[in-house]
Amino acid sequence: MTVTTPNSAIWSGVRDGLPFIVMVVPFATLFGVVAIEAGLTLAQTISFSILVIAGASQFAALQMMSENAAIGFVLFAALAVNLRMAMYSAALVPFLGAAPFWQRALIGYFNFDQSYLTSVAKYEDTPQMPLNARVLYFFGVSLAIAPLWCVFTVIGAKLGMFIPQDIEITFVLPLAFLAMVAPALKSLAHIAAAFVSIVLALLLVNFPSGSGLLIAALCAMIAGVVVEIQIEKRNK
Amino acid sequence: MTYSQTEIWMIIGLLAVGTFVIRFSFLGLIGARTMNPLVERMLRFTPVAVLPGMVAPLVLWPTGAGGVPTILHFVAAFATLFVAYRTRKVVWGMVAGGVIFFGPLLFSAIA
């Protein structure tokens, strides 16, 4: 399908972002519940979701705060969880780097797992997509997700958990991420990278604040490039 | 929690700024300038380099099952991956995994 008008670009983004509702709703609700239980006010809880807008790091911060950790440690732990997004930021440069500064700033604010992964998959599948449509598509995906993140934080904070506790709803997170990554396994090089990522992440799982994942990701990228170069050599 | 209100707001504010700086970083600094081709090539592997490693511990040692591997978690994860890979559609993968993982629970709740 080709994206021609600005309107269709933004709507196709919204539509591709909609499946993530099933992961955003339970986690946002859960954050609202846990934040109030931990002792944050409603205003602080909602500010967290609007300003930081990063699920995993919000939970990491709350965890540290409920242990009364020093503020420096709270910040370090929560920001370390977000470092993978610096990789996303760099990986978006070839597609969105030419956009005006204010648009890039807004993309930075909305640059989370779902918006990044969905958008890059789209850009790679549709190389002829104009810059303007790329930007709008990114905002479309973000708009399907970000408002819900904030609204359901408030609902969780005000109403408590309305999702049944005996259903392990948090498992939608790995399932959704697996569904996101599968179509990106386009070549042997991509599969090799994924394999290295899994093995190293499991071996380094006890490294603090997600640093094991960063090391695994970096090695996986190198593995991907190495395999790709080998395949190219063989095909010559 | 023993922080003062000011301290809590400070944590939220600094986390907001820090997170934005991380997310904006390269996109903001590099902009339209060309990147090192090798770096750009590495970055094309970002999704497949980050997500599998992020998900693997959650599937192998699911927190909801007390960190013990179960066949249900494994099969649901594999089905999600397989269906999303074959159909190239995120949503079908999520449906497949969701039906396998939550289907029996929902069915037993109704029946």
Side-chain angles (χ1 to χ4, degrees):
Chain A
M1 198 187 60
T2 52
V3 176
T4 43
T5 66
N7 241 335
S8 74
I10 202 158
W11 280 113
S12 89
V14 169
R15 201 190 48 225
D16 292 348
L18 287 179
F20 301 116
I21 290 177
V22 298
M23 75 192 289
V24 170
V25 167
F27 275 94
T29 310
L30 189 62
F31 180 77
V33 174
V34 178
I36 295 292
E37 275 175 6
L40 296 192
T41 65
L42 182 63
Q44 287 160 347
T45 305
I46 182 62
S47 299
F48 235 121
S49 277
I50 293 176
L51 298 174
V52 184
I53 194 163
S57 81
Q58 290 178 221
F59 282 105
L62 268 188
Q63 176 67 35
M64 297 291 282
M65 287 168 83
S66 45
E67 289 164 16
N68 288 311
I71 291 176
F73 284 118
V74 176
L75 297 175
F76 178 81
L79 290 176
V81 171
N82 284 335
L83 272 182
R84 68 181 183 284
M85 290 160 185
M87 294 177 180
Y88 298 169
S89 185
L92 282 173
V93 169
F95 301 108
L96 300 171
F101 185 84
W102 70 268
Q103 289 183 358
R104 278 184 282 136
L106 207 53
I107 289 163
Y109 171 70
F110 285 122
N111 179 12
F112 33 79
D113 297 298
Q114 295 90 340
S115 54
Y116 161 73
L117 290 150
T118 309
S119 299
V120 161
K122 179 76 171 180
Y123 303 158
E124 288 187 347
D125 286 347
T126 353
Q128 76 281 14
M129 202 175 183
L131 175 64
N132 171 37
R134 284 188 195 143
V135 172
L136 287 169
Y137 181 86
F138 194 97
F139 289 144
V141 180
S142 312
L143 285 176
I145 296 165
L148 282 178
W149 178 254
C150 302
V151 168
F152 277 87
T153 300
V154 176
I155 290 176
K158 295 286 277 185
L159 301 182
M161 203 64 186
F162 62 87
I163 293 164
Q165 297 280 340
D166 52 341
I167 293 181
E168 198 192 326
I169 196 78
T170 49
F171 200 63
V172 297
L173 184 134
L175 292 183
F177 281 147
L178 280 170
M180 270 194 261
V181 78
L185 296 167
K186 291 172 194 157
S187 71
L188 195 59
H190 289 85
I191 293 170
F195 181 76
V196 170
S197 169
I198 290 171
V199 171
L200 286 182
L202 290 177
L203 287 175
L204 308 178
V205 74
N206 289 324
F207 277 38
S209 297
S211 55
L213 177 64
L214 290 180
I215 298 169
L218 199 64
C219 295
M221 285 183 202
I222 295 168
V225 173
V226 169
V227 171
E228 199 176 56
I229 289 171
Q230 291 300 319
I231 292 171
E232 279 172 5
K233 268 187 196 158
R234 201 169 296 174
N235 290 344
K236 260 176 201 167
Chain B
M1 204 180 284
T2 53
Y3 307 99
S4 71
Q5 289 301 304
T6 323
E7 282 174 326
I8 293 177
W9 281 112
M10 200 173 83
I11 291 172
I12 296 170
L14 289 173
L15 273 183
V17 173
T19 302
F20 177 75
V21 166
I22 290 169
R23 287 172 164 167
F24 185 49
S25 57
F26 292 96
L27 195 57
L29 288 175
I30 305 174
R33 275 173 288 158
T34 47
M35 293 172 90
N36 178 312
L38 186 64
V39 172
E40 197 177 319
R41 196 167 183 175
M42 275 175 65
L43 287 169
R44 279 194 284 109
F45 289 94
T46 306
V48 293
V50 174
L51 284 189
M54 200 152 85
V55 168
L58 301 174
V59 172
L60 201 56
W61 303 301
T63 43
V68 182
T70 80
I71 291 174
L72 180 62
H73 288 89
F74 201 78
V75 170
F78 184 78
T80 306
L81 193 65
F82 181 77
V83 172
Y85 181 77
R86 290 306 288 266
T87 61
R88 305 265 141 193
K89 288 271 181 284
V90 176
V91 63
W92 292 125
M94 286 168 67
V95 167
V99 166
I100 288 176
F101 191 76
F102 298 107
L105 278 169
L106 292 176
F107 185 76
S108 65
I110 296 163

